[in-house]
Amino acid sequence: MSVEKRTQSIDLSHHLSELSKARLTSPLKGLMKYFEQPGILSLAGGLPSPAYFPVSDISANVLVPESFALTPTESSTSLSWLWKLFGSHNATKERTQAVTIPKYPAVKGDISLADSLQYGPAVAQAQLQEFLKHFISEVYRPAFEDWTVLIDTGNTDGWSRAVMTLCNPGEGVLCEEWTYPSAMASMIPFNIQPVPVAMDGLGMKSDDLENLLSRWDPVSRQMPRPHVMYIVPVGQNPSGSTMSVARKKQIYDICVKYDVIIVEDDPYYFLQLGTYTFKDDRSPSATPSGKPSADESERYVSTLTPSFLNFDYQGRVIRLDTFSKTIAPGSRLGWFTCNPVFAERLERQGETSAQSPCGFGQSVITKILTHWTYDGYIRWLRGLRTEYQQRRDFFIDCLAEEFHLHAVPAVAGVWEGCIMYQASSKVKKSTGMTEKYSARNRTMFSFVPPVAGMFVWMRLHLDQHPSFAPGDRDTLETKLWTKLGENGVLFGPGWMFAANAMAENPDDNDSGHFRISFSNVEFADLKKAVTIFGRVIREFFQEDL
């Protein structure tokens, strides 16, 4: 791969927390470098003999990379959705290939349980390291030369380690005004507070970020100006927005100007679904090649919005990736991509906590990836994108059948710059032998179809409720959420995604929101859930049924 000449990362060690700077190499883990010397007779570590590992080998039937189609398998007709509703999800027999991981390698360097299940370094098994480095260089293409890779047990663990490596108690972290609640929950007990930045339809607003940092008053804010940012730029959780290239460059330049480290949490990067189109407006698209190939891999990668790494010429981005959304969350396996100074400190933290992810999970995923090869994994990711796109489309199609959706431009707030759909009740009118529908004027909720990720972020128009009074949003949201739960449907309550929801003195946020996942349940259950939601919310708003 030909790339432009890249620079070395700059010295950013002044960002390290006091705790991180105090971490020493684990005395036992410091010996690991000697274990790898050829012919070494190690009597130093308390390593169990692999002969006593009670597993002789692990075998698995692995799906072929082209298991899922690259375009929707049926046309957008009512008949096709009936098939999704009543057809068996597993009607097509899965195509698999058998792989085996032996206890001892037949060829030196092969994946083996003797190595995978033994104590090991906190970086990654050698074969996984090699695969990830190739993957990062092809897909993310960091703009600085000396980037490195370190594994973790998923992005929540990755963020927890990053924030402890970079932040001291009493500091703040820049984040989107709506964000992933577990990220906030992991730092608040250490007196590290969220500093929300306003959002629009592209995620965090660069002008608001500039204003916040340029006018920062440490006395009135009672904390120093933040030097760390936590951001979910693709399939933003919960809003579903995806940041443009121009916006990322603006934010990166601001972070250079004010010396801010960017922690890019990107679990939904490969679920970039594209723009939603109503069912009647869809047309069949040409089906690209179904087999893995280098040309198709390069073409697919070129369609993805670039990572912050692609603009990072200083090494101030710590990127968090995970296999949770692309292989399986129970594998508990992810990785950092960052400069070597940060990686070394993150490794020191890992040595005395989780050490490294489970050897069973590492070995199985590494075997799958090396069996598929890079192009095979890219083909797998392309198929996943189509599958989740169909799920998103089906869920929103169900909303369109249950409610009258009116498209309007969003001129302010988290969806500014997007086309927003306002939902009101359909009113059935009988005219002779036919039935027609008209809409009521009252908007019950609104949303923007997500362009990435697994969620629809829904704003509840609680000010339209007959008994609404100022200050009632929290109460009304909880009442509606509870009513839905009593009727067998569970949504994510919006209040928990407010960046400062768990802070000691949260702002009075407009909490009239739900986060709704379309990623897991079967199509028939998605349809059923929307039908129940329609009935419950109409009753809640006291609409005539």
Side-chain angles (χ1 to χ4, degrees):
M1 179 186 67
S2 61
V3 295
E4 296 180 3
K5 186 176 180 181
R6 295 171 295 181
T7 59
Q8 297 288 308
S9 58
I10 65 173
D11 182 7
L12 295 166
S13 59
H14 57 281
H15 285 282
L16 295 173
S17 67
E18 295 303 317
L19 174 63
S20 177
K21 287 186 284 190
R23 292 188 187 277
L24 303 175
T25 301
S26 167
L28 290 176
K29 294 301 178 183
L31 300 176
M32 294 301 297
K33 61 182 179 181
Y34 298 105
F35 294 172
E36 299 173 2
Q37 291 184 9
I40 192 78
L41 298 175
S42 173
L43 306 180
L47 280 63
S49 170
Y52 307 137
F53 295 171
V55 182
S56 178
D57 61 55
I58 295 177
S59 296
N61 293 318
V62 179
L63 296 184
V64 297
E66 58 271 25
S67 291
F68 302 118
L70 297 176
T71 55
T73 52
E74 298 102 13
S75 61
S76 301
T77 64
S78 298
L79 216 51
S80 72
W81 297 125
L82 285 172
W83 172 256
K84 290 187 185 299
L85 286 173
F86 300 111
S88 171
H89 183 72
N90 298 314
T92 303
K93 182 175 175 58
E94 293 180 333
R95 294 171 54 203
T96 62
Q97 295 174 336
V99 298
T100 298
I101 305 170
K103 179 176 285 189
Y104 301 104
V107 178
K108 186 177 181 180
D110 284 355
I111 303 167
S112 69
L113 298 180
D115 290 331
S116 299
L117 303 186
Q118 190 56 272
Y119 290 119
V123 286
Q125 296 175 11
Q127 301 90 340
L128 181 58
Q129 270 273 346
E130 182 179 352
F131 185 94
L132 291 177
K133 286 179 178 177
H134 176 64
F135 184 82
I136 293 163
S137 65
E138 293 290 333
V139 177
Y140 304 137
R141 306 182 183 188
F144 66 103
E145 186 71 39
D146 54 335
W147 55 271
T148 190
V149 181
L150 178 73
I151 57 171
D152 54 44
T153 61
N155 283 17
T156 301
D157 171 54
W159 164 245
S160 179
R161 288 165 64 176
V163 73
M164 298 308 295
T165 297
L166 297 171
C167 294
N168 293 304
E171 294 183 347
V173 170
L174 299 161
C175 60
E176 297 117 323
E177 59 180 309
W178 298 98
T179 192
Y180 178 48
S182 291
M184 303 298 101
S186 67
M187 67 184 195
I188 288 174
F190 297 97
N191 191 25
I192 301 169
Q193 300 298 322
V195 180
V197 182
M199 299 170 61
D200 62 11
L202 296 177
M204 182 182 289
K205 297 176 69 172
S206 53
D207 53 351
D208 279 63
L209 177 63
E210 169 71 36
N211 290 336
L212 178 70
L213 293 175
S214 65
R215 300 174 183 177
W216 189 269
D217 179 6
V219 175
S220 62
R221 290 276 190 167
Q222 297 184 321
M223 70 171 70
R225 190 174 68 196
H227 65 103
V228 175
M229 173 187 292
Y230 172 81
I231 192 167
V232 184
V234 176
Q236 200 273 341
N237 187 2
S239 76
S241 65
T242 291
M243 193 171 284
S244 67
V245 173
R247 179 67 62 82
K248 282 184 176 178
K249 288 182 176 179
Q250 291 166 1
I251 287 179
Y252 182 82
D253 289 344
I254 292 169
C255 289
V256 169
K257 179 179 178 181
Y258 293 99
D259 193 21
V260 174
I261 301 301
I262 301 171
V263 182
E264 180 181 26
D265 185 3
D266 226 350
Y268 308 104
Y269 185 80
F270 297 103
L271 301 184
Q272 299 183 35
L273 311 177
T275 304
Y276 170 79
T277 303
F278 278 102
K279 185 164 57 176
D280 293 339
D281 298 328
R282 291 177 206 142
S283 57
S285 56
T287 303
S289 168
K291 295 289 185 181
S293 74
D295 288 342
E296 292 294 345
S297 295
E298 186 173 354
R299 188 175 296 113
Y300 165 75
V301 169
S302 70
T303 68
L304 301 173
T305 185
S307 163
F308 272 106
L309 285 175
N310 193 242
F311 316 122
D312 183 20
Y313 58 90
Q314 293 188 331
R316 65 174 59 250
V317 173
I318 300 177
R319 180 179 171 86
L320 307 180
D321 277 286
T322 179
F323 290 110
S324 293
K325 307 302 188 291
T326 60
I327 293 186
S331 67
R332 304 317 306 142
L333 187 60
W335 74 93
F336 301 93
T337 308
C338 60
N339 72 57
V341 172
F342 289 169
E344 187 272 337
R345 290 290 90 191
L346 290 164
E347 184 180 354
R348 297 291 81 78
Q349 183 174 355
E351 286 174 344
T352 53
S353 56
Q355 296 190 12
S356 63
C358 173
F360 286 105
Q362 269 199 78
S363 60
V364 171
I365 287 185
T366 304
K367 187 66 177 181
I368 292 171
L369 295 174
T370 55
H371 174 75
W372 279 347
T373 73
Y374 166 79
D375 291 321
Y377 185 45
I378 291 294
R379 174 60 183 84
W380 173 261
L381 295 174
R382 293 165 66 204
L384 284 187
R385 176 171 69 175
T386 301
E387 290 292 306
Y388 283 104
Q389 178 188 341
Q390 290 186 95
R391 285 178 162 275
R392 177 205 62 184
D393 291 353
F394 180 75
F395 179 73
I396 297 176
D397 289 347
C398 291
L399 290 176
E401 292 173 2
E402 185 71 23
F403 301 94
H404 174 77
L405 300 182
H406 175 59
V408 297
V411 296
V414 71
W415 294 325
E416 180 182 349
C418 298
I419 298 299
M420 173 178 66
Y421 293 96
Q422 296 179 334
S424 54
S425 291
K426 285 182 175 179
V427 181
K428 187 181 296 185
K429 292 183 177 181
S430 297
T431 307
M433 299 295 292
T434 63
E435 291 182 339
K436 295 184 178 180
Y437 293 88
S438 63
R440 294 187 181 275
N441 293 326
R442 186 184 328 199
T443 298
M444 295 183 289
F445 65 88
S446 58
F447 69 96
V448 170
V451 295
M454 296 178 166
F455 310 109
V456 169
W457 182 235
M458 181 180 289
R459 177 176 175 244
L460 303 170
H461 289 241
L462 299 174
D463 56 345
Q464 298 293 306
H465 191 275
S467 65
F468 175 78
D472 278 356
R473 284 188 172 89
D474 288 352
T475 302
L476 289 173
E477 179 191 302
T478 301
K479 284 182 178 179
L480 178 56
W481 182 84
T482 302
K483 192 69 175 176
L484 284 166
E486 291 171 350
N487 282 268
V489 175
L490 189 65
F491 294 160
W495 65 265
M496 68 170 57
F497 298 94
N500 57 6
M502 288 169 281
E504 186 174 348
N505 296 302
D507 294 336
D508 183 18
N509 278 297
D510 176 359
S511 57
H513 294 82
F514 288 148
R515 192 197 72 172
I516 306 172
S517 171
F518 52 80
S519 61
N520 181 261
V521 301
E522 299 295 338
F523 285 94
D525 290 331
L526 282 175
K527 176 68 175 176
K528 181 180 179 181
V530 171
T531 301
I532 294 172
F533 172 60
R535 173 174 56 80
V536 171
I537 197 170
R538 285 191 294 269
E539 292 174 354
F540 182 76
F541 277 89
Q542 301 176 22
E543 298 279 337
D544 293 328
L545 303 181

